[in-house]
PDB file of all heavy atoms in Angstrom:
ATOM      1  N   ALA O1338     187.969 161.271 -69.055  1.00  0.00           N
ATOM      2  CA  ALA O1338     187.105 162.223 -69.792  1.00  0.00           C
ATOM      3  C   ALA O1338     186.763 161.669 -71.228  1.00  0.00           C
ATOM      4  O   ALA O1338     186.012 162.205 -71.847  1.00  0.00           O
ATOM      5  CB  ALA O1338     187.798 163.575 -69.972  1.00  0.00           C
ATOM      6  N   ARG O1339     187.417 160.542 -71.594  1.00  0.00           N
ATOM      7  CA  ARG O1339     187.261 160.024 -72.857  1.00  0.00           C
ATOM      8  C   ARG O1339     186.125 158.923 -72.994  1.00  0.00           C
ATOM      9  O   ARG O1339     186.220 158.042 -73.786  1.00  0.00           O
ATOM     10  CB  ARG O1339     188.562 159.482 -73.450  1.00  0.00           C
ATOM     11  CG  ARG O1339     189.702 160.375 -73.394  1.00  0.00           C
ATOM     12  CD  ARG O1339     189.721 161.269 -74.596  1.00  0.00           C
ATOM     13  NE  ARG O1339     190.935 162.000 -74.792  1.00  0.00           N
ATOM     14  CZ  ARG O1339     191.110 163.214 -74.365  1.00  0.00           C
ATOM     15  NH1 ARG O1339     190.139 163.848 -73.784  1.00  0.00           N
ATOM     16  NH2 ARG O1339     192.297 163.882 -74.493  1.00  0.00           N
ATOM     17  N   THR O1340     185.249 158.954 -72.030  1.00  0.00           N
ATOM     18  CA  THR O1340     184.157 157.893 -72.057  1.00  0.00           C
ATOM     19  C   THR O1340     183.191 158.093 -73.216  1.00  0.00           C
ATOM     20  O   THR O1340     182.947 159.286 -73.644  1.00  0.00           O
ATOM     21  CB  THR O1340     183.308 157.989 -70.823  1.00  0.00           C
ATOM     22  OG1 THR O1340     182.774 159.271 -70.732  1.00  0.00           O
ATOM     23  CG2 THR O1340     184.135 157.621 -69.546  1.00  0.00           C
ATOM     24  N   PRO O1341     182.786 157.013 -73.933  1.00  0.00           N
ATOM     25  CA  PRO O1341     181.911 157.213 -75.064  1.00  0.00           C
ATOM     26  C   PRO O1341     180.580 157.863 -74.733  1.00  0.00           C
ATOM     27  O   PRO O1341     180.025 157.632 -73.656  1.00  0.00           O
ATOM     28  CB  PRO O1341     181.794 155.838 -75.597  1.00  0.00           C
ATOM     29  CG  PRO O1341     182.111 154.920 -74.455  1.00  0.00           C
ATOM     30  CD  PRO O1341     182.989 155.707 -73.612  1.00  0.00           C
ATOM     31  N   ILE O1342     180.064 158.672 -75.671  1.00  0.00           N
ATOM     32  CA  ILE O1342     178.839 159.267 -75.497  1.00  0.00           C
ATOM     33  C   ILE O1342     177.879 158.695 -76.511  1.00  0.00           C
ATOM     34  O   ILE O1342     178.243 158.359 -77.645  1.00  0.00           O
ATOM     35  CB  ILE O1342     178.928 160.829 -75.777  1.00  0.00           C
ATOM     36  CG1 ILE O1342     179.835 161.445 -74.632  1.00  0.00           C
ATOM     37  CG2 ILE O1342     177.526 161.510 -75.658  1.00  0.00           C
ATOM     38  CD1 ILE O1342     180.206 162.919 -74.968  1.00  0.00           C
ATOM     39  N   SER O1343     176.616 158.545 -76.103  1.00  0.00           N
ATOM     40  CA  SER O1343     175.610 157.941 -76.952  1.00  0.00           C
ATOM     41  C   SER O1343     175.401 158.762 -78.223  1.00  0.00           C
ATOM     42  O   SER O1343     175.432 159.956 -78.229  1.00  0.00           O
ATOM     43  CB  SER O1343     174.210 157.891 -76.199  1.00  0.00           C
ATOM     44  OG  SER O1343     173.242 157.381 -77.050  1.00  0.00           O
ATOM     45  N   VAL O1344     175.279 157.992 -79.325  1.00  0.00           N
ATOM     46  CA  VAL O1344     175.012 158.661 -80.684  1.00  0.00           C
ATOM     47  C   VAL O1344     173.722 159.409 -80.614  1.00  0.00           C
ATOM     48  O   VAL O1344     173.559 160.440 -81.321  1.00  0.00           O
ATOM     49  CB  VAL O1344     174.999 157.605 -81.701  1.00  0.00           C
ATOM     50  CG1 VAL O1344     174.687 158.205 -83.068  1.00  0.00           C
ATOM     51  CG2 VAL O1344     176.422 156.988 -81.798  1.00  0.00           C
ATOM     52  N   LYS O1345     172.793 159.008 -79.820  1.00  0.00           N
ATOM     53  CA  LYS O1345     171.540 159.714 -79.739  1.00  0.00           C
ATOM     54  C   LYS O1345     171.707 161.161 -79.270  1.00  0.00           C
ATOM     55  O   LYS O1345     170.820 162.025 -79.739  1.00  0.00           O
ATOM     56  CB  LYS O1345     170.573 158.987 -78.785  1.00  0.00           C
ATOM     57  CG  LYS O1345     170.045 157.645 -79.413  1.00  0.00           C
ATOM     58  CD  LYS O1345     168.980 157.054 -78.549  1.00  0.00           C
ATOM     59  CE  LYS O1345     168.502 155.713 -79.253  1.00  0.00           C
ATOM     60  NZ  LYS O1345     167.326 155.218 -78.597  1.00  0.00           N
ATOM     61  N   TYR O1346     172.608 161.412 -78.494  1.00  0.00           N
ATOM     62  CA  TYR O1346     172.884 162.766 -78.043  1.00  0.00           C
ATOM     63  C   TYR O1346     173.224 163.613 -79.315  1.00  0.00           C
ATOM     64  O   TYR O1346     172.595 164.790 -79.509  1.00  0.00           O
ATOM     65  CB  TYR O1346     173.999 162.873 -77.060  1.00  0.00           C
ATOM     66  CG  TYR O1346     174.471 164.302 -76.754  1.00  0.00           C
ATOM     67  CD1 TYR O1346     173.693 165.071 -75.921  1.00  0.00           C
ATOM     68  CD2 TYR O1346     175.592 164.724 -77.371  1.00  0.00           C
ATOM     69  CE1 TYR O1346     174.195 166.364 -75.616  1.00  0.00           C
ATOM     70  CE2 TYR O1346     176.028 166.119 -77.070  1.00  0.00           C
ATOM     71  CZ  TYR O1346     175.291 166.845 -76.214  1.00  0.00           C
ATOM     72  OH  TYR O1346     175.716 168.104 -75.906  1.00  0.00           O
ATOM     73  N   PHE O1347     174.005 163.225 -80.153  1.00  0.00           N
ATOM     74  CA  PHE O1347     174.470 163.918 -81.313  1.00  0.00           C
ATOM     75  C   PHE O1347     173.283 164.044 -82.363  1.00  0.00           C
ATOM     76  O   PHE O1347     173.145 165.107 -82.991  1.00  0.00           O
ATOM     77  CB  PHE O1347     175.589 163.392 -81.965  1.00  0.00           C
ATOM     78  CG  PHE O1347     176.892 163.412 -81.071  1.00  0.00           C
ATOM     79  CD1 PHE O1347     177.368 162.224 -80.490  1.00  0.00           C
ATOM     80  CD2 PHE O1347     177.515 164.566 -80.883  1.00  0.00           C
ATOM     81  CE1 PHE O1347     178.499 162.296 -79.631  1.00  0.00           C
ATOM     82  CE2 PHE O1347     178.661 164.601 -80.065  1.00  0.00           C
ATOM     83  CZ  PHE O1347     179.097 163.463 -79.385  1.00  0.00           C
ATOM     84  N   LEU O1348     172.607 162.975 -82.548  1.00  0.00           N
ATOM     85  CA  LEU O1348     171.418 162.946 -83.387  1.00  0.00           C
ATOM     86  C   LEU O1348     170.360 163.930 -82.987  1.00  0.00           C
ATOM     87  O   LEU O1348     169.712 164.676 -83.733  1.00  0.00           O
ATOM     88  CB  LEU O1348     170.795 161.571 -83.572  1.00  0.00           C
ATOM     89  CG  LEU O1348     171.773 160.539 -84.210  1.00  0.00           C
ATOM     90  CD1 LEU O1348     171.167 159.129 -84.308  1.00  0.00           C
ATOM     91  CD2 LEU O1348     172.109 161.033 -85.701  1.00  0.00           C
ATOM     92  N   THR O1349     170.113 164.025 -81.688  1.00  0.00           N
ATOM     93  CA  THR O1349     169.138 165.015 -81.181  1.00  0.00           C
ATOM     94  C   THR O1349     169.676 166.450 -81.420  1.00  0.00           C
ATOM     95  O   THR O1349     168.869 167.334 -81.789  1.00  0.00           O
ATOM     96  CB  THR O1349     168.940 164.749 -79.669  1.00  0.00           C
ATOM     97  OG1 THR O1349     168.560 163.423 -79.442  1.00  0.00           O
ATOM     98  CG2 THR O1349     167.887 165.748 -79.128  1.00  0.00           C
ATOM     99  N   ALA O1350     170.955 166.681 -81.252  1.00  0.00           N
ATOM    100  CA  ALA O1350     171.553 167.990 -81.596  1.00  0.00           C
ATOM    101  C   ALA O1350     171.323 168.281 -83.060  1.00  0.00           C
ATOM    102  O   ALA O1350     170.996 169.388 -83.364  1.00  0.00           O
ATOM    103  CB  ALA O1350     173.026 167.990 -81.162  1.00  0.00           C
ATOM    104  N   ILE O1351     171.501 167.352 -83.924  1.00  0.00           N
ATOM    105  CA  ILE O1351     171.270 167.628 -85.333  1.00  0.00           C
ATOM    106  C   ILE O1351     169.851 167.885 -85.654  1.00  0.00           C
ATOM    107  O   ILE O1351     169.554 168.806 -86.454  1.00  0.00           O
ATOM    108  CB  ILE O1351     171.852 166.399 -86.189  1.00  0.00           C
ATOM    109  CG1 ILE O1351     173.388 166.350 -86.039  1.00  0.00           C
ATOM    110  CG2 ILE O1351     171.378 166.557 -87.645  1.00  0.00           C
ATOM    111  CD1 ILE O1351     173.943 165.012 -86.664  1.00  0.00           C
ATOM    112  N   VAL O1352     168.924 167.194 -84.968  1.00  0.00           N
ATOM    113  CA  VAL O1352     167.515 167.458 -85.111  1.00  0.00           C
ATOM    114  C   VAL O1352     167.145 168.860 -84.684  1.00  0.00           C
ATOM    115  O   VAL O1352     166.440 169.589 -85.352  1.00  0.00           O
ATOM    116  CB  VAL O1352     166.658 166.420 -84.389  1.00  0.00           C
ATOM    117  CG1 VAL O1352     165.178 166.833 -84.309  1.00  0.00           C
ATOM    118  CG2 VAL O1352     166.886 165.068 -85.056  1.00  0.00           C
ATOM    119  N   PHE O1353     167.781 169.334 -83.590  1.00  0.00           N
ATOM    120  CA  PHE O1353     167.525 170.658 -83.079  1.00  0.00           C
ATOM    121  C   PHE O1353     168.045 171.700 -84.119  1.00  0.00           C
ATOM    122  O   PHE O1353     167.320 172.585 -84.417  1.00  0.00           O
ATOM    123  CB  PHE O1353     168.340 170.907 -81.794  1.00  0.00           C
ATOM    124  CG  PHE O1353     168.254 172.389 -81.381  1.00  0.00           C
ATOM    125  CD1 PHE O1353     167.112 172.930 -80.806  1.00  0.00           C
ATOM    126  CD2 PHE O1353     169.441 173.114 -81.520  1.00  0.00           C
ATOM    127  CE1 PHE O1353     167.127 174.265 -80.425  1.00  0.00           C
ATOM    128  CE2 PHE O1353     169.376 174.534 -81.149  1.00  0.00           C
ATOM    129  CZ  PHE O1353     168.259 175.070 -80.581  1.00  0.00           C
ATOM    130  N   VAL O1354     169.219 171.464 -84.668  1.00  0.00           N
ATOM    131  CA  VAL O1354     169.749 172.376 -85.676  1.00  0.00           C
ATOM    132  C   VAL O1354     168.868 172.412 -86.936  1.00  0.00           C
ATOM    133  O   VAL O1354     168.593 173.428 -87.541  1.00  0.00           O
ATOM    134  CB  VAL O1354     171.201 172.036 -86.092  1.00  0.00           C
ATOM    135  CG1 VAL O1354     171.633 172.816 -87.215  1.00  0.00           C
ATOM    136  CG2 VAL O1354     172.110 172.242 -84.851  1.00  0.00           C
ATOM    137  N   LEU O1355     168.370 171.232 -87.296  1.00  0.00           N
ATOM    138  CA  LEU O1355     167.419 171.135 -88.481  1.00  0.00           C
ATOM    139  C   LEU O1355     166.272 171.988 -88.342  1.00  0.00           C
ATOM    140  O   LEU O1355     165.858 172.816 -89.172  1.00  0.00           O
ATOM    141  CB  LEU O1355     167.095 169.721 -88.705  1.00  0.00           C
ATOM    142  CG  LEU O1355     166.059 169.321 -89.839  1.00  0.00           C
ATOM    143  CD1 LEU O1355     166.780 169.481 -91.140  1.00  0.00           C
ATOM    144  CD2 LEU O1355     165.499 168.027 -89.663  1.00  0.00           C
ATOM    145  N   PHE O1356     165.576 171.824 -87.127  1.00  0.00           N
ATOM    146  CA  PHE O1356     164.388 172.629 -86.995  1.00  0.00           C
ATOM    147  C   PHE O1356     164.624 174.162 -86.642  1.00  0.00           C
ATOM    148  O   PHE O1356     163.839 174.985 -86.920  1.00  0.00           O
ATOM    149  CB  PHE O1356     163.524 172.094 -85.810  1.00  0.00           C
ATOM    150  CG  PHE O1356     162.872 170.815 -86.318  1.00  0.00           C
ATOM    151  CD1 PHE O1356     163.291 169.535 -85.845  1.00  0.00           C
ATOM    152  CD2 PHE O1356     161.751 170.826 -87.196  1.00  0.00           C
ATOM    153  CE1 PHE O1356     162.723 168.357 -86.304  1.00  0.00           C
ATOM    154  CE2 PHE O1356     161.207 169.620 -87.648  1.00  0.00           C
ATOM    155  CZ  PHE O1356     161.650 168.458 -87.181  1.00  0.00           C
ATOM    156  N   ASP O1357     165.788 174.420 -86.181  1.00  0.00           N
ATOM    157  CA  ASP O1357     166.237 175.769 -85.945  1.00  0.00           C
ATOM    158  C   ASP O1357     166.370 176.445 -87.317  1.00  0.00           C
ATOM    159  O   ASP O1357     165.913 177.577 -87.558  1.00  0.00           O
ATOM    160  CB  ASP O1357     167.558 175.834 -85.155  1.00  0.00           C
ATOM    161  CG  ASP O1357     167.777 177.209 -84.642  1.00  0.00           C
ATOM    162  OD1 ASP O1357     166.867 177.951 -84.272  1.00  0.00           O
ATOM    163  OD2 ASP O1357     168.988 177.598 -84.537  1.00  0.00           O
ATOM    164  N   VAL O1358     167.025 175.749 -88.232  1.00  0.00           N
ATOM    165  CA  VAL O1358     167.167 176.300 -89.619  1.00  0.00           C
ATOM    166  C   VAL O1358     165.860 176.411 -90.300  1.00  0.00           C
ATOM    167  O   VAL O1358     165.637 177.414 -91.083  1.00  0.00           O
ATOM    168  CB  VAL O1358     168.160 175.409 -90.427  1.00  0.00           C
ATOM    169  CG1 VAL O1358     168.138 175.786 -91.829  1.00  0.00           C
ATOM    170  CG2 VAL O1358     169.580 175.523 -89.842  1.00  0.00           C
ATOM    171  N   GLU O1359     165.002 175.536 -90.060  1.00  0.00           N
ATOM    172  CA  GLU O1359     163.649 175.680 -90.655  1.00  0.00           C
ATOM    173  C   GLU O1359     162.989 176.927 -90.255  1.00  0.00           C
ATOM    174  O   GLU O1359     162.363 177.638 -91.049  1.00  0.00           O
ATOM    175  CB  GLU O1359     162.766 174.449 -90.170  1.00  0.00           C
ATOM    176  CG  GLU O1359     161.356 174.582 -90.595  1.00  0.00           C
ATOM    177  CD  GLU O1359     160.389 173.933 -89.657  1.00  0.00           C
ATOM    178  OE1 GLU O1359     160.879 173.222 -88.735  1.00  0.00           O
ATOM    179  OE2 GLU O1359     159.190 174.055 -89.923  1.00  0.00           O
ATOM    180  N   VAL O1360     163.074 177.277 -88.943  1.00  0.00           N
ATOM    181  CA  VAL O1360     162.438 178.521 -88.444  1.00  0.00           C
ATOM    182  C   VAL O1360     163.027 179.674 -89.133  1.00  0.00           C
ATOM    183  O   VAL O1360     162.439 180.612 -89.490  1.00  0.00           O
ATOM    184  CB  VAL O1360     162.435 178.596 -86.979  1.00  0.00           C
ATOM    185  CG1 VAL O1360     162.003 179.889 -86.404  1.00  0.00           C
ATOM    186  CG2 VAL O1360     161.525 177.429 -86.363  1.00  0.00           C
ATOM    187  N   ILE O1361     164.371 179.618 -89.197  1.00  0.00           N
ATOM    188  CA  ILE O1361     165.146 180.806 -89.838  1.00  0.00           C
ATOM    189  C   ILE O1361     164.661 180.961 -91.284  1.00  0.00           C
ATOM    190  O   ILE O1361     164.463 182.146 -91.701  1.00  0.00           O
ATOM    191  CB  ILE O1361     166.638 180.541 -89.828  1.00  0.00           C
ATOM    192  CG1 ILE O1361     167.139 180.612 -88.329  1.00  0.00           C
ATOM    193  CG2 ILE O1361     167.395 181.514 -90.656  1.00  0.00           C
ATOM    194  CD1 ILE O1361     168.537 180.191 -88.174  1.00  0.00           C
ATOM    195  N   PHE O1362     164.389 179.911 -91.974  1.00  0.00           N
ATOM    196  CA  PHE O1362     163.901 180.067 -93.404  1.00  0.00           C
ATOM    197  C   PHE O1362     162.398 180.519 -93.477  1.00  0.00           C
ATOM    198  O   PHE O1362     161.976 181.120 -94.539  1.00  0.00           O
ATOM    199  CB  PHE O1362     164.086 178.791 -94.192  1.00  0.00           C
ATOM    200  CG  PHE O1362     165.436 178.572 -94.651  1.00  0.00           C
ATOM    201  CD1 PHE O1362     166.078 177.371 -94.394  1.00  0.00           C
ATOM    202  CD2 PHE O1362     166.150 179.534 -95.335  1.00  0.00           C
ATOM    203  CE1 PHE O1362     167.396 177.093 -94.817  1.00  0.00           C
ATOM    204  CE2 PHE O1362     167.391 179.311 -95.812  1.00  0.00           C
ATOM    205  CZ  PHE O1362     168.030 178.147 -95.615  1.00  0.00           C
ATOM    206  N   MET O1363     161.638 180.204 -92.493  1.00  0.00           N
ATOM    207  CA  MET O1363     160.174 180.544 -92.522  1.00  0.00           C
ATOM    208  C   MET O1363     159.947 181.970 -92.170  1.00  0.00           C
ATOM    209  O   MET O1363     159.003 182.533 -92.707  1.00  0.00           O
ATOM    210  CB  MET O1363     159.442 179.617 -91.531  1.00  0.00           C
ATOM    211  CG  MET O1363     159.399 178.216 -92.056  1.00  0.00           C
ATOM    212  SD  MET O1363     158.330 177.137 -91.024  1.00  0.00           S
ATOM    213  CE  MET O1363     156.777 177.792 -91.434  1.00  0.00           C
ATOM    214  N   TYR O1364     160.843 182.670 -91.407  1.00  0.00           N
ATOM    215  CA  TYR O1364     160.561 184.066 -91.134  1.00  0.00           C
ATOM    216  C   TYR O1364     160.552 184.949 -92.325  1.00  0.00           C
ATOM    217  O   TYR O1364     159.653 185.678 -92.585  1.00  0.00           O
ATOM    218  CB  TYR O1364     161.542 184.536 -90.029  1.00  0.00           C
ATOM    219  CG  TYR O1364     161.135 184.269 -88.640  1.00  0.00           C
ATOM    220  CD1 TYR O1364     161.847 183.486 -87.799  1.00  0.00           C
ATOM    221  CD2 TYR O1364     159.955 184.904 -88.107  1.00  0.00           C
ATOM    222  CE1 TYR O1364     161.493 183.253 -86.514  1.00  0.00           C
ATOM    223  CE2 TYR O1364     159.553 184.656 -86.782  1.00  0.00           C
ATOM    224  CZ  TYR O1364     160.260 183.819 -86.053  1.00  0.00           C
ATOM    225  OH  TYR O1364     159.906 183.525 -84.749  1.00  0.00           O
ATOM    226  N   PRO O1365     161.660 184.908 -93.204  1.00  0.00           N
ATOM    227  CA  PRO O1365     161.500 185.770 -94.336  1.00  0.00           C
ATOM    228  C   PRO O1365     160.467 185.413 -95.284  1.00  0.00           C
ATOM    229  O   PRO O1365     159.857 186.248 -95.938  1.00  0.00           O
ATOM    230  CB  PRO O1365     162.908 185.544 -95.007  1.00  0.00           C
ATOM    231  CG  PRO O1365     163.676 184.718 -94.102  1.00  0.00           C
ATOM    232  CD  PRO O1365     162.869 184.233 -93.015  1.00  0.00           C
ATOM    233  N   TRP O1366     160.122 184.122 -95.378  1.00  0.00           N
ATOM    234  CA  TRP O1366     159.004 183.649 -96.230  1.00  0.00           C
ATOM    235  C   TRP O1366     157.698 184.243 -95.725  1.00  0.00           C
ATOM    236  O   TRP O1366     156.811 184.696 -96.538  1.00  0.00           O
ATOM    237  CB  TRP O1366     158.942 182.189 -96.217  1.00  0.00           C
ATOM    238  CG  TRP O1366     157.727 181.665 -97.012  1.00  0.00           C
ATOM    239  CD1 TRP O1366     157.542 181.530 -98.332  1.00  0.00           C
ATOM    240  CD2 TRP O1366     156.547 181.148 -96.485  1.00  0.00           C
ATOM    241  NE1 TRP O1366     156.391 181.067 -98.664  1.00  0.00           N
ATOM    242  CE2 TRP O1366     155.692 180.756 -97.471  1.00  0.00           C
ATOM    243  CE3 TRP O1366     156.024 181.079 -95.126  1.00  0.00           C
ATOM    244  CZ2 TRP O1366     154.448 180.255 -97.248  1.00  0.00           C
ATOM    245  CZ3 TRP O1366     154.750 180.535 -95.001  1.00  0.00           C
ATOM    246  CH2 TRP O1366     154.023 180.137 -95.922  1.00  0.00           C
ATOM    247  N   ALA O1367     157.459 184.194 -94.436  1.00  0.00           N
ATOM    248  CA  ALA O1367     156.250 184.748 -93.830  1.00  0.00           C
ATOM    249  C   ALA O1367     156.142 186.250 -94.076  1.00  0.00           C
ATOM    250  O   ALA O1367     155.046 186.759 -94.316  1.00  0.00           O
ATOM    251  CB  ALA O1367     156.118 184.450 -92.333  1.00  0.00           C
ATOM    252  N   VAL O1368     157.242 186.951 -93.980  1.00  0.00           N
ATOM    253  CA  VAL O1368     157.251 188.390 -94.178  1.00  0.00           C
ATOM    254  C   VAL O1368     156.895 188.759 -95.636  1.00  0.00           C
ATOM    255  O   VAL O1368     156.160 189.741 -95.896  1.00  0.00           O
ATOM    256  CB  VAL O1368     158.670 188.987 -93.718  1.00  0.00           C
ATOM    257  CG1 VAL O1368     158.683 190.468 -94.180  1.00  0.00           C
ATOM    258  CG2 VAL O1368     158.729 188.887 -92.248  1.00  0.00           C
ATOM    259  N   ASN O1369     157.371 187.948 -96.563  1.00  0.00           N
ATOM    260  CA  ASN O1369     157.214 188.278 -98.010  1.00  0.00           C
ATOM    261  C   ASN O1369     156.185 187.320 -98.634  1.00  0.00           C
ATOM    262  O   ASN O1369     156.240 187.163 -99.822  1.00  0.00           O
ATOM    263  CB  ASN O1369     158.574 188.129 -98.728  1.00  0.00           C
ATOM    264  CG  ASN O1369     159.567 189.120 -98.228  1.00  0.00           C
ATOM    265  OD1 ASN O1369     159.244 190.260 -98.021  1.00  0.00           O
ATOM    266  ND2 ASN O1369     160.781 188.657 -98.065  1.00  0.00           N
ATOM    267  N   PHE O1370     155.313 186.902 -97.833  1.00  0.00           N
ATOM    268  CA  PHE O1370     154.285 185.909 -98.352  1.00  0.00           C
ATOM    269  C   PHE O1370     153.527 186.386 -99.551  1.00  0.00           C
ATOM    270  O   PHE O1370     153.459 185.699-100.627  1.00  0.00           O
ATOM    271  CB  PHE O1370     153.338 185.527 -97.208  1.00  0.00           C
ATOM    272  CG  PHE O1370     152.237 184.521 -97.652  1.00  0.00           C
ATOM    273  CD1 PHE O1370     152.629 183.213 -97.856  1.00  0.00           C
ATOM    274  CD2 PHE O1370     150.989 184.910 -97.771  1.00  0.00           C
ATOM    275  CE1 PHE O1370     151.667 182.297 -98.204  1.00  0.00           C
ATOM    276  CE2 PHE O1370     150.035 183.945 -98.146  1.00  0.00           C
ATOM    277  CZ  PHE O1370     150.432 182.708 -98.407  1.00  0.00           C
ATOM    278  N   ARG O1371     152.963 187.589 -99.434  1.00  0.00           N
ATOM    279  CA  ARG O1371     152.177 188.103-100.556  1.00  0.00           C
ATOM    280  C   ARG O1371     153.004 188.459-101.810  1.00  0.00           C
ATOM    281  O   ARG O1371     152.597 188.223-102.871  1.00  0.00           O
ATOM    282  CB  ARG O1371     151.463 189.388-100.164  1.00  0.00           C
ATOM    283  CG  ARG O1371     150.314 189.109 -99.161  1.00  0.00           C
ATOM    284  CD  ARG O1371     149.501 190.290 -98.904  1.00  0.00           C
ATOM    285  NE  ARG O1371     148.641 190.107 -97.753  1.00  0.00           N
ATOM    286  CZ  ARG O1371     147.468 189.588 -97.748  1.00  0.00           C
ATOM    287  NH1 ARG O1371     146.939 189.042 -98.906  1.00  0.00           N
ATOM    288  NH2 ARG O1371     146.731 189.472 -96.632  1.00  0.00           N
ATOM    289  N   ALA O1372     154.286 188.905-101.585  1.00  0.00           N
ATOM    290  CA  ALA O1372     155.091 189.279-102.693  1.00  0.00           C
ATOM    291  C   ALA O1372     155.583 188.079-103.507  1.00  0.00           C
ATOM    292  O   ALA O1372     155.878 188.148-104.712  1.00  0.00           O
ATOM    293  CB  ALA O1372     156.287 190.135-102.224  1.00  0.00           C
TER     294      ALA O1372
END
Side-chain angles (χ1 to χ4, degrees):
R1339 306 272 191 268
T1340 57
I1342 298 174
S1343 174
V1344 173
K1345 288 188 176 189
Y1346 171 77
F1347 296 106
L1348 293 176
T1349 305
I1351 291 171
V1352 169
F1353 171 75
V1354 170
L1355 175 75
F1356 287 106
D1357 194 36
V1358 169
E1359 171 210 356
V1360 170
I1361 290 170
F1362 281 129
M1363 287 186 73
Y1364 274 117
W1366 174 78
V1368 169
N1369 297 319
F1370 179 72
R1371 291 190 193 273

